[in-house]
Amino acid sequence: MQKYGLIGYPLRHSFSIGYFNEKFKSENIDAEYVNFEIPNINDFMEVIEENPNLCGLNVTIPYKEQVIPFLDELDKDTAKIGAVNVIKIIRQPKGKVKLVGYNSDIIGFTQSIEPLLQPHHKKALILGTGGASKAVYRGLANLGIESVFVSRTKKESSYLTYDELTPEIMQEYTIIVNCTPVGMYPKVDFCPDIPYDQLTPNHLLYDLLYNPNETLFMKKGEAHGAVTKNGLEMLLLQAFAAWEIWNK
């Protein structure tokens, strides 16, 4: 039986374990998906060595960047953003193992937002600067869209702060992607601090959150005629992409 899994810490809840085990059951695939809750990234190679039938892993917080030194190779997009959420495990002769890192968030996000794009969607604001935001930046770049990160503090000269979101910038940047946890259940009465009164029907607001189904960020966008979408489809598409990576 093939084995797949997730590494992270802590792993209180995991979309992947439910999704993949249901997939294996419904499609009669002889495989199982398990969670590997490792308190330290140095335990990573133990997981590989102790599970000889392990074919692939998903990676979640806090190991998306920490796992990279253990890998033999990175996909080119993944190398550019420096964050891994899928590992393909290639078993070679004489017990050797090759570990290749990918980022399926790039694929999931790109496939999810692309059908919503209109000719006037040329520039994007990315709210947040974590690992997910880097995947979004790369995905938008692959679609020919110029992006700027927005953070609470001036982390880099090229970044904007929320205080710097002038009416001119809001008019120019018609895609806004929320990559922060602000507005996630149970704190549903919160939203990123952008000037919502500057939004128009030309704006597209994409929230990586999917719980609740409609965040306050999305509601405020819709109140000004903006198109909105949550991150549930991206979550599913990145899972499809992970399965394709493991099996191609």
Side-chain angles (χ1 to χ4, degrees), residues 94-204:
K94 298 180 181 177
K96 287 188 177 179
V97 177
K98 183 179 180 182
L99 304 174
V100 185
Y102 298 83
N103 194 305
S104 65
D105 283 340
I106 300 173
I107 302 165
F109 173 73
T110 304
Q111 291 177 346
S112 180
I113 199 170
E114 190 170 18
L116 303 176
L117 297 176
Q118 300 296 327
H120 60 266
H121 291 137
K122 292 182 170 65
K123 293 186 177 182
L125 297 173
I126 300 174
L127 311 182
T129 58
S133 70
K134 293 179 177 71
V136 165
Y137 181 91
R138 180 50 45 196
L140 289 169
N142 289 348
L143 292 169
I145 292 167
E146 181 186 323
S147 303
V148 173
F149 292 104
V150 182
S151 66
R152 285 173 296 178
T153 56
K154 196 77 169 174
K155 294 187 177 181
E156 290 187 23
S157 59
S158 60
Y159 289 15
L160 292 171
T161 64
Y162 288 93
D163 292 338
E164 293 173 326
L165 299 179
T166 62
E168 292 76 20
I169 285 173
M170 293 298 290
Q171 187 179 353
E172 188 179 358
Y173 289 81
T174 51
I175 302 169
I176 305 174
V177 185
N178 179 34
C179 301
T180 78
V182 179
M184 184 166 65
Y185 179 85
K187 297 184 178 181
V188 297
D189 296 326
F190 293 85
C191 59
D193 188 20
I194 65 169
Y196 292 93
D197 60 340
Q198 299 296 324
L199 296 175
T200 69
N202 279 342
H203 281 87
L204 165 60

Side-chain angles (χ1 to χ4, degrees), residues 49-100:
E49 289 158 10
E50 292 176 3
N51 295 274
N53 57 339
L54 193 61
C55 303
L57 287 167
N58 288 119
V59 184
T60 190
I61 295 168
Y63 300 135
K64 289 186 178 186
E65 294 169 345
Q66 293 181 36
V67 78
I68 290 175
F70 295 89
L71 307 181
D72 300 295
E73 194 178 305
L74 294 179
D75 158 76
K76 69 176 187 340
D77 271 343
T78 306
K80 285 176 183 172
I81 67 168
V84 165
N85 75 331
V86 177
I87 298 170
K88 182 172 184 175
I89 301 166
I90 303 166
R91 305 284 173 180
Q92 297 179 317
K94 298 180 181 177
K96 287 188 177 179
V97 177
K98 183 179 180 182
L99 304 174
V100 185

